[in-house]
Amino acid sequence: MRQMAAPSGRPPRPGPAGQGRKTGGDVRPMPVTRPRSYAAIDLGTNNCRLLIARPQNGELVVIDAFSRIVRLGEGLHGSGRISDAAMDRTVAALTICADKLRRRHVSLSRAVATEACRRASNGAELAERVRRETGIVLDIISAAEEAKLAVLGCHNLMEPGEGPALIFDIGGGSTELMHVDVSDQDVRIHDWISVPWGVVSLTEHAPLPEDSLAGRQAAYAHMRGVTREAFAAFAARAERFAGEPLRLLGTSGTVTTLASVFLDLPRYDRRAVDGLVVPTDAMRDISRRLADASIADRAEIACIGRERADLVVAGCAILESIIDLWPAARVGVADRGIREGILRTLAMQGRDIPVTRREYRK
């Protein structure tokens, strides 16, 4: 019997016994080894965010990302429930996330939900619908875990020094303050507080009138009063640091948006914002200018736009109240937080522990 020629024209070399021949079954192809990848989903009161990362040279390198404003907490302050429309928007966003998880062959992932699902009477109902329709299992985490993940994700950007350090996370439905001790390799939380005021819940509690500057200023003053009262217990404990060189780092949408306005960016640029340090006086000035402006004028600012124009003022009020109780000279800005904290914990579980580096920049 003639031997079939190989593509080179030469007859194929016989392999070791039992290889390359059918012996009652098909030849199994060599397994393809893909690099391990991790994913983190943070479902907040206003946004749904996804990060997918892969270990490389001792670090986690982002290979895919997704973010969409879903306004999960819209109307929650008054009704105590997540609306059907908000559920639909959220499931649509998480369906995209699930598709990305499959296409990126994610090895290990975690999806967390925060204040809106904690507070809503039908938060568990949303989680069940998400599991049924997307396959994603939502973990409704406590405020304490939310604070820990935020700190773990952004503490590398804390301004170096010996003074007391505070990390804050202004979310859609809550705000967390964490007094931390940051070293080159780790971070420890000394004290923390979570209050149920974020950009969505505070806006719904004290909506800004559009008909007069005096009305907007009065509403802003009311927002400041509400958040000042909410932070009062933490502020009393912070008085012992009076006169010390304080350090301050913020994560999430309010500080990154205000940093973009400070830089007068034509469009949002994470590379320009993440790790930036802004003088506190500049943050106050921007906050008050935005509070005085009409919603139409705020929407015209490139890095605010229509999607954030109605919510940014509440974030400004919360930020000013934080600066009141922790009067640092500068505010560090982090475009990272809960998702990065999740990724780091997943990498630890997978034994791909990224190097913790100081990433503060001047």
Side-chain angles (χ1 to χ4, degrees), residues 109-301:
S109 66
R110 188 183 186 198
V112 302
T114 54
E115 182 67 13
C117 285
R118 283 197 296 265
R119 189 186 305 181
S121 61
N122 58 343
E125 179 184 327
L126 171 64
E128 173 56 25
R129 180 179 168 188
V130 167
R131 185 200 62 78
R132 187 174 63 250
E133 296 187 24
T134 73
I136 292 173
V137 177
L138 274 180
D139 185 5
I140 302 175
I141 60 174
S142 67
E145 185 170 7
E146 182 179 357
K148 290 176 183 177
L149 289 172
V151 166
L152 190 61
C154 74
H155 76 274
N156 286 8
L157 295 180
M158 178 63 71
E159 183 177 0
E162 297 299 324
L166 183 77
I167 294 176
F168 64 90
D169 181 1
I170 300 174
S174 67
T175 295
E176 285 72 43
L177 309 181
M178 293 77 71
H179 169 215
V180 299
D181 179 21
V182 179
S183 68
D184 285 342
Q185 296 298 325
D186 204 0
V187 60
R188 186 159 60 96
I189 299 176
H190 290 296
D191 190 10
W192 73 283
I193 189 173
S194 178
V195 301
W197 298 115
V199 297
V200 176
S201 55
L202 188 58
T203 298
E204 292 188 353
H205 173 74
L208 293 172
E210 288 304 311
D211 54 353
S212 72
L213 173 61
R216 290 193 293 272
Q217 290 175 335
Y220 188 68
H222 178 58
M223 288 179 175
R224 292 286 314 279
V226 168
T227 51
R228 185 166 51 248
E229 181 179 351
F231 293 142
F234 190 92
R237 298 195 295 271
E239 287 179 357
R240 67 186 187 275
F241 302 124
E244 295 191 46
L246 303 176
R247 295 176 289 160
L248 186 60
L249 174 65
T251 176
S252 206
T254 294
V255 287
T256 56
T257 298
L258 267 59
S260 301
V261 175
F262 172 77
L263 294 174
D264 195 23
L265 297 177
R267 64 185 61 84
Y268 186 74
D269 183 352
R270 182 184 188 276
R271 294 169 298 178
V273 169
D274 188 48
L276 185 70
V277 179
V278 181
T280 300
D281 288 344
M283 283 294 202
R284 281 196 189 273
D285 179 64
I286 294 168
S287 295
R288 291 172 184 177
R289 285 193 286 116
L290 292 176
D292 284 351
S294 68
I295 190 169
D297 289 339
R298 295 194 299 271
E300 289 298 315
I301 300 173

Side-chain angles (χ1 to χ4, degrees), residues 74-96:
E74 188 174 59
L76 175 62
H77 181 72
S79 69
R81 292 178 56 84
I82 298 169
S83 69
D84 291 342
M87 281 197 182
D88 291 343
R89 292 192 296 267
T90 299
V91 171
L94 288 171
T95 298
I96 295 172

